Amino acid sequence: MGLGGHFCVFPPYAGSSTPMDSASSSWKRGRLASMVGMHARYEFASLSSCTVGCLSFLLQRFMLTMSALQVHSRIGNLWRQRIDTMREYEVLRDGNVFGTGFSNSFVFSTEYEQARRMLGELVTRYQDLTVETVFEGKEITNDGGTCYLLESRHNIPVPHFDRDQFRNEVFKDITLVHGVGLATRKRLNDRGFHRIPDLLEHPKFRSGAHQVLDCLRRDNSAEIMDLIGCRYSKSHPAVLGVAAMHEPEDFVFFDIETLGLFSRPITLFGIGIIERGDLIVRQYLLRDIAEEQAALAATSEILSGRHRAVVTFNGKSFDLPYLLDRLAYYGMAIPPQIPHFDVLHFSRRRWKDRFPSLRLTALEREVLGIHRKDDVPGQMVPEFFETYLRTGNCGPLVPVVDHNRQDVVSLARLFFHQIRESYDGC
Amino acid sequence: MTVADVLRILESNPVYQKRVLHLETTLPEFSEYGMLDEPLSPALQSYLDQKGIRLYCHQCEAINHIRAGKNAIITTPTASGKTLAFNIPLFEHLENDLGARALYLYPTKALANDQLATLLRMETYCGLDAKPAIYDGDTPQSKRATIRENARIIVSNPHEIHHILSWHTKWRLFFSGLRYIVIDEAHRYRGVFGSNIAFLIRRLLRICRYYGSSPQFVLSTATLANPLEFAENLTGQHFVLVDKDGSPHGTKNFVFYNPFFNGVGERSAHQETKDLLLSCVQNNLQTLCFAGSRKMAELITVWAREDARRISVQLAESITAYRAGFLPEERRMIERGAKDGTMRGIVSTNALELGIDIGALDAVIISGYPGTMMSTHQQAGRAGRSGNESLAILVAQANPLDQYFMNHPREFFLRPHEHAIIDIKNPYIFSGHLLCAAAELPLNEITDGKSFSQTLSDILPELASGDLLKKTSRGWVYSGRGRAADAVRLDGIPGETFRILCQGKLLETMSREQAYREAHNGAIMLHQGTTYLVTEMDLEIHTIRVVETDVDYYTQPLKEVDLSVINVLETKVIQGLECAFGDVEVTEHYTGFKIKRGDTIIAVEPLSLPPLTFRTEAFWFIVTADIETTICEAGLDFAGGLHGTEHALIALMPLYVVCDRWDIGGLSSPSFGDAGKPTVFVYDAFEGGIGLAEKAYELLPALFASAHELVRDCRCEDGCPTCIYSPKCGNDNQPLDKEATIRILGRQIKMQEEERSAGCASEPENTCRVPAGMVN
């Protein structure tokens, strides 16, 4: 306070010392707080009343600041405690398939216990190790800042895409022409109209045929998916067949991990692309929430490439809208809309009567024979990531990264598997 | 039979006569019409013509202001046509600007539905294409996108807005075109709830700014003492006030009826209410009766019907209860019966106060002071069909506020209405909304400090150290694992929540403070008219178990309060008394509870609950030595006088600031702290303070005066529940000394009067202010 000597202020109050919030006070704050608690017992020296008044004013301001700080640290803790108790999934007794009001947001209790145990073990095992040491990757920089990129290569069977075969199949389906139902098709077949180009000669269906052929000529797979989807249903195998219009390199297999069900950061972006016959999985990881923008920028750029088509599992409801929402949150540009193949929809249509569960992990088990070991349940990824954020210990990240990588790989494999099947089936 | 006839009965009947303490007659008022600056469009004009409506002066005033782009707050009484006053200019604007949108906010579904019906009718008649729609928790998923895209008027409620703000990208079209926000029944948004809403509105405006719009506000409220201050606190904008009522009314008769005219009373207030109800109905007055609780409403109805049946079955059937718990069809039936006159007596809880379209009736009986003058006027305002004479009767209960008004009726009719308090400084409240705002758009310390009228430099790092916010190049980003809007409850301050379960079913939730007070182990709890006994209280898992019970006793907790002053923010001297306002830390310790039957204590049981400590705001004053000496020399109990003063002040605070007894707490001590001075504290019972003590501090002289009148004029001997006995006294109302209380309060009044007669300025002598909220 800049005044020499001792001074004494008689505060117009008394009482016990103020309790400190031990959890979050920094050392410095703690020391200042205990000074307040001692109620400033200094000795009086002969100072004018003006100075005393001034001092008392300053001391009051000083204490006001201190108390404001203490109030704030209390507030920080209060909110943290409350938010810690919130969970976006229910833990159910094993075998309780009837669940609760929430359809997919549940975890069986043994799974839950196992995961919590694993979390503890990881934290112990990876103590004091950095992300860069544990994960082989590299830091990337772009307009959004920095983030960490992990790459891996996987050999998966890629079907052969025959564009001409696809076109022929479409031409053969004259019911795509507006006004042609099954009965009409039979009549037209009998009269020698077997393919859509044939109908260009037909007075009634000429313009309809033109429309379809123009659409095909425009070569926009999203448009063609719409056309076929309107005629049949959006998840009909024929819609999946439109994938044949693309090269395998066009597909972006996309899966994200987030900090919650919505309005929270995306923490890991998993992107798979076929390059030179192999599936390259690129994972953009946030070492820190401030890295989200860079990861968004990188993802957005990939999705903006020419000829791109995105493939997801439940991405129509979750991954894509979530991505767009986060881009809007930061005021970043939205990539143009590209064709979207949602493998969950096609799976549901194809396999809903065959498999009890249509979760990705269930399908990869049944259809691809993949069994994950030490996997973290998707709903618990947020708390694993949060442990890393809070403690700096990157152990919890290990299963999260593995989980996401496997999600992308299985997604790609299921996609290609379905395409192969629909070719043979159709 | 008419109102005049019933009045005569009240005056002449010996039983009634003793109890009627006051009759206030207001002369009839004719309509006062107004002039619009600019004529209406033909469509709107013909809408009014077809309904035979001519605009009153307050409607024109409001329309002129709104057209001029100002924010308006309209405080004219119920049924004065406030809705039309804002619907007209909004429709006008929507006619001319196809991109314009409007948002109407209502506190209840029923009101929202009523408003939607009105809007649809207006729309059809005027040929406007606004597609008004309700968007709330019940709106089906399939309809939501269509409404967001196409509805130009959306009717919703604050809870819905609280949740949809994080989805604002889907609302871009609506928010960018938003020109008007109408908040009806805005006086409901006060206290803790109102403070939360105030921040919600600031979040909403922040999003609007992001999309380039700055909407205009129209607030419609009951009469307040501080309308402009309230409006500005609620929204952060400047307002003009429209309060001069131009609507007509007939002679209004307001009767103050005190069943406790002799101090003790002969029967309960509710039984006396039943008699009054029956008298009115028998004399052919269509009557609305407001009871304080659902159970009371049911009881009064049952008793009235029993008595009525002795006269005629038809009469009995024309009396019914009406409350929120009824099915919609039942409520519609009663409303129709009220409108067509077949329902002659309707007994309701306060639900009807909320403007449901039941029309006006001949008489209103209010059983028990509803807690605010605002509510009383609103309820009484239901009496009086156009131009006819009307009757309102306030039946007092045996508690200080009610009795105070009975004995000082002028205070009710002459006093300006209460202040509605909103506290936009409580950091516990605004921190929650800061988290929500961060989840909606990254926070910027400077511009968002302005949005929320706070300095954010301290709170942001604190929330960040709790891992809830993260500073990035774009601003502070929300990084919590839980969803912010789910963590922030609009009707509370962050604290733990306890669940009350009866046989596994969730009855209600409570804060820790309320749980300790009302739902401790062994407590008798009332919930929606049913009585429960608390059998188990588990502090670890925050669960309380109760069972239904039917006992004839009730419980009252015993509490010890400890207090220490953290900061003195302001001091002043009122006629020699040192008064102060500042931050305090309160520790409330529930040590046991009384089991009572009626007024008799049957037993006292101990409780082992940990103490509750919280920081809040308080005002206090120190009683000078000379008063103490006088009182001790007179052989009176000084401590009892301090305690009584504390109770009297708390009892009457609701006269000045809208709150109820549970929102404030008190402590009195003949020897407080190191200095050992006799001090009385009154504090806000909410962590962080909620602005109540702050406002009361401003109004201290008036509060002292009313408290003095209350105790001095009470006809009891040594103090009673209607003056200095408090139903929530943790010390079992010990010690209390009525005479000492009067002397303490009286001394202050005497000095005030001496000052006034000596021609001194009535300003306090020394005012030493340390500006609140200054942070280094």
Side-chain angles (χ1 to χ4, degrees), chain B residues 329-341:
Chain B
E329 307 91 65
E330 291 171 314
R331 301 208 338 255
R332 296 282 157 267
M333 209 177 67
I334 296 172
E335 282 161 24
R336 241 175 299 135
K339 281 216 188 101
D340 63 27

PDB file of all heavy atoms in Angstrom, chain B residues 329-341:
ATOM      1  N   GLU B 329     -60.526 -30.777 -20.419  1.00  0.00           N
ATOM      2  CA  GLU B 329     -61.969 -30.741 -20.723  1.00  0.00           C
ATOM      3  C   GLU B 329     -62.757 -30.210 -19.539  1.00  0.00           C
ATOM      4  O   GLU B 329     -63.709 -29.436 -19.698  1.00  0.00           O
ATOM      5  CB  GLU B 329     -62.526 -32.133 -21.045  1.00  0.00           C
ATOM      6  CG  GLU B 329     -61.791 -32.894 -22.106  1.00  0.00           C
ATOM      7  CD  GLU B 329     -60.697 -33.749 -21.526  1.00  0.00           C
ATOM      8  OE1 GLU B 329     -61.020 -34.696 -20.784  1.00  0.00           O
ATOM      9  OE2 GLU B 329     -59.537 -33.458 -21.813  1.00  0.00           O
ATOM     10  N   GLU B 330     -62.354 -30.637 -18.325  1.00  0.00           N
ATOM     11  CA  GLU B 330     -63.060 -30.164 -17.138  1.00  0.00           C
ATOM     12  C   GLU B 330     -62.928 -28.657 -17.025  1.00  0.00           C
ATOM     13  O   GLU B 330     -63.886 -27.948 -16.705  1.00  0.00           O
ATOM     14  CB  GLU B 330     -62.482 -30.823 -15.879  1.00  0.00           C
ATOM     15  CG  GLU B 330     -62.761 -32.306 -15.773  1.00  0.00           C
ATOM     16  CD  GLU B 330     -61.976 -32.948 -14.631  1.00  0.00           C
ATOM     17  OE1 GLU B 330     -60.770 -32.668 -14.501  1.00  0.00           O
ATOM     18  OE2 GLU B 330     -62.588 -33.725 -13.885  1.00  0.00           O
ATOM     19  N   ARG B 331     -61.706 -28.176 -17.285  1.00  0.00           N
ATOM     20  CA  ARG B 331     -61.495 -26.743 -17.162  1.00  0.00           C
ATOM     21  C   ARG B 331     -62.309 -25.980 -18.197  1.00  0.00           C
ATOM     22  O   ARG B 331     -62.886 -24.937 -17.902  1.00  0.00           O
ATOM     23  CB  ARG B 331     -60.005 -26.423 -17.281  1.00  0.00           C
ATOM     24  CG  ARG B 331     -59.246 -27.150 -16.191  1.00  0.00           C
ATOM     25  CD  ARG B 331     -57.979 -26.529 -15.708  1.00  0.00           C
ATOM     26  NE  ARG B 331     -57.290 -25.617 -16.533  1.00  0.00           N
ATOM     27  CZ  ARG B 331     -56.167 -25.907 -17.185  1.00  0.00           C
ATOM     28  NH1 ARG B 331     -55.673 -27.106 -17.122  1.00  0.00           N
ATOM     29  NH2 ARG B 331     -55.568 -24.995 -17.896  1.00  0.00           N
ATOM     30  N   ARG B 332     -62.352 -26.517 -19.398  1.00  0.00           N
ATOM     31  CA  ARG B 332     -63.142 -25.836 -20.436  1.00  0.00           C
ATOM     32  C   ARG B 332     -64.599 -25.764 -20.018  1.00  0.00           C
ATOM     33  O   ARG B 332     -65.289 -24.766 -20.221  1.00  0.00           O
ATOM     34  CB  ARG B 332     -63.067 -26.590 -21.760  1.00  0.00           C
ATOM     35  CG  ARG B 332     -61.730 -26.680 -22.402  1.00  0.00           C
ATOM     36  CD  ARG B 332     -61.292 -25.408 -23.136  1.00  0.00           C
ATOM     37  NE  ARG B 332     -59.841 -25.370 -23.264  1.00  0.00           N
ATOM     38  CZ  ARG B 332     -59.035 -24.762 -22.398  1.00  0.00           C
ATOM     39  NH1 ARG B 332     -59.514 -24.121 -21.381  1.00  0.00           N
ATOM     40  NH2 ARG B 332     -57.738 -24.804 -22.559  1.00  0.00           N
ATOM     41  N   MET B 333     -65.090 -26.855 -19.422  1.00  0.00           N
ATOM     42  CA  MET B 333     -66.485 -26.912 -19.011  1.00  0.00           C
ATOM     43  C   MET B 333     -66.773 -25.837 -17.973  1.00  0.00           C
ATOM     44  O   MET B 333     -67.775 -25.128 -18.058  1.00  0.00           O
ATOM     45  CB  MET B 333     -66.762 -28.291 -18.400  1.00  0.00           C
ATOM     46  CG  MET B 333     -68.181 -28.750 -18.573  1.00  0.00           C
ATOM     47  SD  MET B 333     -68.397 -30.421 -17.916  1.00  0.00           S
ATOM     48  CE  MET B 333     -68.148 -30.156 -16.178  1.00  0.00           C
ATOM     49  N   ILE B 334     -65.871 -25.699 -17.022  1.00  0.00           N
ATOM     50  CA  ILE B 334     -66.086 -24.697 -15.980  1.00  0.00           C
ATOM     51  C   ILE B 334     -66.008 -23.289 -16.569  1.00  0.00           C
ATOM     52  O   ILE B 334     -66.807 -22.410 -16.249  1.00  0.00           O
ATOM     53  CB  ILE B 334     -65.046 -24.868 -14.852  1.00  0.00           C
ATOM     54  CG1 ILE B 334     -65.256 -26.220 -14.174  1.00  0.00           C
ATOM     55  CG2 ILE B 334     -65.158 -23.739 -13.849  1.00  0.00           C
ATOM     56  CD1 ILE B 334     -64.187 -26.580 -13.184  1.00  0.00           C
ATOM     57  N   GLU B 335     -65.047 -23.109 -17.481  1.00  0.00           N
ATOM     58  CA  GLU B 335     -64.928 -21.784 -18.096  1.00  0.00           C
ATOM     59  C   GLU B 335     -66.188 -21.412 -18.851  1.00  0.00           C
ATOM     60  O   GLU B 335     -66.679 -20.294 -18.791  1.00  0.00           O
ATOM     61  CB  GLU B 335     -63.727 -21.747 -19.037  1.00  0.00           C
ATOM     62  CG  GLU B 335     -62.421 -21.598 -18.287  1.00  0.00           C
ATOM     63  CD  GLU B 335     -61.227 -22.010 -19.132  1.00  0.00           C
ATOM     64  OE1 GLU B 335     -61.348 -21.971 -20.374  1.00  0.00           O
ATOM     65  OE2 GLU B 335     -60.193 -22.382 -18.541  1.00  0.00           O
ATOM     66  N   ARG B 336     -66.730 -22.382 -19.546  1.00  0.00           N
ATOM     67  CA  ARG B 336     -67.959 -22.129 -20.278  1.00  0.00           C
ATOM     68  C   ARG B 336     -69.080 -21.808 -19.309  1.00  0.00           C
ATOM     69  O   ARG B 336     -69.877 -20.891 -19.513  1.00  0.00           O
ATOM     70  CB  ARG B 336     -68.338 -23.351 -21.119  1.00  0.00           C
ATOM     71  CG  ARG B 336     -68.376 -23.036 -22.604  1.00  0.00           C
ATOM     72  CD  ARG B 336     -68.625 -24.261 -23.439  1.00  0.00           C
ATOM     73  NE  ARG B 336     -67.593 -25.262 -23.279  1.00  0.00           N
ATOM     74  CZ  ARG B 336     -67.830 -26.556 -23.110  1.00  0.00           C
ATOM     75  NH1 ARG B 336     -69.070 -27.012 -23.079  1.00  0.00           N
ATOM     76  NH2 ARG B 336     -66.843 -27.413 -22.963  1.00  0.00           N
ATOM     77  N   GLY B 337     -69.149 -22.599 -18.223  1.00  0.00           N
ATOM     78  CA  GLY B 337     -70.179 -22.357 -17.213  1.00  0.00           C
ATOM     79  C   GLY B 337     -70.061 -20.973 -16.614  1.00  0.00           C
ATOM     80  O   GLY B 337     -71.055 -20.325 -16.324  1.00  0.00           O
ATOM     81  N   ALA B 338     -68.834 -20.522 -16.442  1.00  0.00           N
ATOM     82  CA  ALA B 338     -68.647 -19.171 -15.914  1.00  0.00           C
ATOM     83  C   ALA B 338     -69.153 -18.153 -16.915  1.00  0.00           C
ATOM     84  O   ALA B 338     -69.828 -17.192 -16.563  1.00  0.00           O
ATOM     85  CB  ALA B 338     -67.178 -18.933 -15.605  1.00  0.00           C
ATOM     86  N   LYS B 339     -68.856 -18.376 -18.164  1.00  0.00           N
ATOM     87  CA  LYS B 339     -69.245 -17.394 -19.183  1.00  0.00           C
ATOM     88  C   LYS B 339     -70.750 -17.329 -19.365  1.00  0.00           C
ATOM     89  O   LYS B 339     -71.322 -16.260 -19.508  1.00  0.00           O
ATOM     90  CB  LYS B 339     -68.601 -17.750 -20.532  1.00  0.00           C
ATOM     91  CG  LYS B 339     -67.166 -17.338 -20.636  1.00  0.00           C
ATOM     92  CD  LYS B 339     -66.832 -16.880 -22.051  1.00  0.00           C
ATOM     93  CE  LYS B 339     -65.331 -16.670 -22.169  1.00  0.00           C
ATOM     94  NZ  LYS B 339     -64.634 -17.771 -22.826  1.00  0.00           N
ATOM     95  N   ASP B 340     -71.399 -18.505 -19.384  1.00  0.00           N
ATOM     96  CA  ASP B 340     -72.837 -18.452 -19.651  1.00  0.00           C
ATOM     97  C   ASP B 340     -73.655 -18.328 -18.360  1.00  0.00           C
ATOM     98  O   ASP B 340     -74.879 -18.333 -18.396  1.00  0.00           O
ATOM     99  CB  ASP B 340     -73.301 -19.647 -20.494  1.00  0.00           C
ATOM    100  CG  ASP B 340     -73.100 -20.977 -19.763  1.00  0.00           C
ATOM    101  OD1 ASP B 340     -73.110 -21.010 -18.505  1.00  0.00           O
ATOM    102  OD2 ASP B 340     -72.947 -21.994 -20.460  1.00  0.00           O
ATOM    103  N   GLY B 341     -72.984 -18.221 -17.248  1.00  0.00           N
ATOM    104  CA  GLY B 341     -73.698 -17.915 -16.017  1.00  0.00           C
ATOM    105  C   GLY B 341     -74.225 -19.098 -15.239  1.00  0.00           C
ATOM    106  O   GLY B 341     -74.805 -18.917 -14.174  1.00  0.00           O
TER     107      GLY B 341
END
